[in-house]
């Protein structure tokens, strides 16, 4: 597979915007090149458009080279860029599993790309054969969220590998919840697949949702095109500085706490008389099937607890998605649910 052949011709010939920081990267005392305010308030200078320091912290943490890392304004920016780089509006199509993260379809619609959604098997397993059969000569992207949202399960790496090997386009594996899973994910084998893009985020396990800092890992060729097309200063000074500080600290210990709380919460939920099933989870949430999802959702809202009602989502009839909170929040949730059972 030649990745260049999959890229839109206008993107192949695109000359990226050159910032003042691209033209000179040294440390001089007086900067008069970017029409910034000269009065220092901590934010008066433009940020590094390539986030070199942040990438230098991520590279050893993730086990990849800096040139294989893209940092975006949330994973949503990376998703949108992939559509703009690889998909011809009105002609190309993309494929995704369903149910899954809704932004894949939103990005497809925004870029005038037809999305072909393949339902998971009834047990939420990956429909490998149907995903590959859905592809044709105009298929450019295929999205697999693993661990998946909202089902919570991670798919076996061998099954994902088969999709990457056989799909005639770019396979995007969204690993937003991988830190909560015992599955290894795709990063360790990234270098073996030139058509693979792995998405991760600092929002979940690292607790940086308010900073909007998403990550994409791919071949240097794909990352190069993503850097060409992105807005020049897509990560602001404050986000970079805080992310750098947090990444300089040890891996958050609360990941272990959330995994332990997830198992405790799942055990207790399974004993409640109105709970029909608690699905196994590799994420920081549980998908729970109940007798009446709408009534229980309204009851929780009345008690100032908000969960996600997935009753109208394919394969999730009667289900609520519950994020694993602090031990205190989980205890309160259980107490409220026990009162509901009375």
């Amino acid at each position: 597979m030649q990745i260049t052949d999959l890229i839109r011709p206008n993107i192949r010939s695109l000359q990226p915007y050159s910032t003042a920081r691209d033209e000179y990267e040294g440390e001089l005392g007086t900067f008069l090149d970017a029409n910034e305010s000269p009065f220092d308030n901590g934010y008066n200078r433009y940020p590094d458009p390539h986030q070199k320091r942040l990438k230098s912290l991520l590279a050893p943490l993730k086990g990849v080279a800096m040139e294989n890392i893209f940092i975006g304004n949330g994973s949503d920016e990376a998703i949108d860029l992939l559509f703009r780089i690889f998909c011809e509006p009105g002609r190309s199509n993309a494929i995704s599993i369903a149910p899954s993260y809704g932004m894949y379809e939103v990005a497809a619609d925004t870029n005038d790309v037809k999305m072909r959604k393949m339902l998971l098997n009834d047990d939420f397993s990956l429909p490998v054969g149907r995903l590959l059969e859905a592809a044709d000569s105009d298929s450019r992207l295929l999205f697999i969220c693993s661990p998946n949202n909202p089902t919570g399960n991670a798919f076996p790496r061998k099954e994902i590998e088969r999709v990457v090997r056989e799909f005639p386009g770019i396979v995007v594996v969204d690993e937003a919840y991988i830190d909560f899973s015992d599955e290894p994910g795709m990063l360790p084998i990234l270098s073996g697949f030139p058509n693979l893009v792995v998405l991760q985020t600092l929002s979940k396990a690292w607790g940086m949702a308010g900073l909007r800092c998403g990550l994409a890992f791919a071949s240097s060729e794909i990352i190069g095109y993503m850097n060409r097309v992105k807005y020049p200063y897509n990560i602001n000074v404050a986000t970079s500085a805080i992310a750098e500080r947090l990444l300089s600290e040890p891996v958050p210990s609360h990941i272990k706490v959330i995994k332990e709380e997830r198992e405790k919460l799942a055990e207790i939920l399974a004993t409640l008389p109105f709970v029909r099933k608690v699905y196994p989870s590799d994420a920081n949430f549980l998908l729970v099937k109940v007798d009446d999802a709408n009534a229980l959702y309204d009851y929780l809202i009345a008690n100032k607890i908000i969960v996600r009602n997935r009753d109208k989502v394919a394969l999730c009839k009667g289900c609520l998605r519950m994020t694993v909170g602090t031990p205190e929040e989980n205890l309160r949730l259980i107490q409220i649910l026990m009162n509901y059972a009375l």
Side-chain angles (χ1 to χ4, degrees):
M1 178 184 297
Q2 295 297 318
I3 299 300
T4 305
D5 294 339
L6 299 174
I7 293 169
R8 291 168 54 186
N10 64 305
I11 300 298
R12 288 202 297 267
S13 61
L14 176 69
Q15 293 300 311
Y17 177 77
S18 179
T19 73
R21 298 299 177 258
D22 286 312
E23 294 174 9
Y24 186 83
E25 299 181 9
E27 291 295 330
L28 294 178
T30 304
F31 287 92
L32 302 177
D33 59 341
N35 300 334
E36 304 152 317
S37 170
F39 300 103
D40 187 12
N41 62 6
Y43 302 101
N44 58 304
R45 298 296 181 187
Y46 285 112
D48 173 10
H50 306 294
Q51 307 95 31
K52 290 185 291 293
R53 173 164 166 71
L54 188 50
K55 289 177 182 176
S56 73
L57 295 169
L58 284 165
L61 181 68
K62 299 296 184 179
V64 299
M66 289 176 59
E67 58 264 29
N68 299 120
I69 303 173
F70 172 84
I71 302 177
N73 186 352
S75 298
D76 295 342
E77 180 183 9
I79 292 167
D80 181 63
L81 285 176
L82 292 169
F83 275 99
R84 288 197 275 153
I85 291 167
F86 291 104
C87 296
E88 290 279 3
R91 174 180 171 181
S92 300
N93 66 74
I95 300 167
S96 77
I97 59 173
S100 195
Y101 182 43
M103 277 305 298
Y104 311 141
E105 187 170 14
V106 171
D109 290 343
T110 302
N111 288 281
D112 193 18
V113 175
K114 178 70 175 178
M115 178 62 80
R116 298 175 176 177
K117 295 188 290 185
M118 297 293 110
L119 279 178
L120 297 175
N121 298 320
D122 290 341
D123 61 354
F124 295 158
S125 59
L126 193 66
V128 175
R130 287 189 285 117
L131 284 170
L132 294 171
E133 289 167 4
D136 60 25
S137 60
D138 290 320
S139 300
R140 290 293 178 267
L141 299 173
L142 189 154
F143 290 89
I144 299 174
C145 186
S146 179
N148 189 36
N149 177 14
T151 58
N153 57 315
F155 304 112
R157 190 162 77 179
K158 286 188 176 180
E159 293 183 358
I160 299 177
E161 283 185 47
R162 180 189 164 193
V163 174
V164 179
R165 284 196 305 269
E166 298 185 24
F167 181 67
I170 304 299
V171 177
V172 185
V173 180
D174 190 343
E175 297 183 345
Y177 302 96
I178 195 66
D179 297 289
F180 304 105
S181 176
D182 293 329
E183 290 287 330
M186 299 296 288
L187 273 190
I189 57 174
L190 177 70
S191 61
F193 297 97
N195 64 322
L196 172 63
V197 178
V198 177
L199 303 181
Q200 292 189 5
T201 181
L202 300 180
S203 293
K204 313 297 183 184
W206 287 86
M208 303 187 206
L211 295 181
R212 308 310 302 130
C213 198
L215 313 174
F217 305 91
S219 68
S220 58
E221 182 178 12
I222 292 177
I223 296 298
Y225 279 106
M226 294 179 77
N227 284 325
R228 280 196 206 184
V229 178
K230 79 174 181 69
Y231 292 124
Y233 302 113
N234 61 326
I235 304 296
N236 64 64
V237 170
T239 291
S240 289
I242 298 171
E244 288 167 16
R245 174 175 62 81
L246 292 173
L247 287 173
S248 298
E249 299 172 358
V251 175
S253 60
H254 58 238
I255 296 175
K256 181 174 181 289
V257 174
I258 289 173
K259 292 174 74 173
E260 291 172 349
E261 286 292 308
R262 179 184 68 198
E263 302 314 312
K264 292 178 187 176
L265 188 58
E267 288 180 12
I268 297 172
L269 286 170
T271 67
L272 298 175
F274 53 85
V275 171
R276 291 289 160 259
K277 184 168 185 175
V278 180
Y279 290 93
S281 177
D282 292 284
N284 67 334
F285 60 83
L286 292 166
L287 187 69
V288 184
K289 189 168 187 175
V290 298
D291 285 338
D292 190 334
N294 295 316
L296 182 55
Y297 178 81
D298 292 341
Y299 175 80
L300 290 172
I301 289 291
N303 283 274
K304 299 184 178 179
I305 294 178
I306 184 168
V307 297
R308 200 75 186 269
N309 190 346
R310 303 285 78 186
D311 181 65
K312 290 181 169 53
V313 173
L315 301 182
C316 295
K317 179 69 176 174
C319 290
L320 300 179
R321 193 191 70 192
M322 302 179 181
T323 304
V324 178
T326 65
E328 295 76 18
E329 289 173 330
N330 298 331
L331 178 59
R332 181 166 184 269
L333 171 64
I334 290 298
Q335 290 171 338
I336 296 296
L337 290 174
M338 286 181 171
N339 290 335
Y340 180 77
L342 296 177

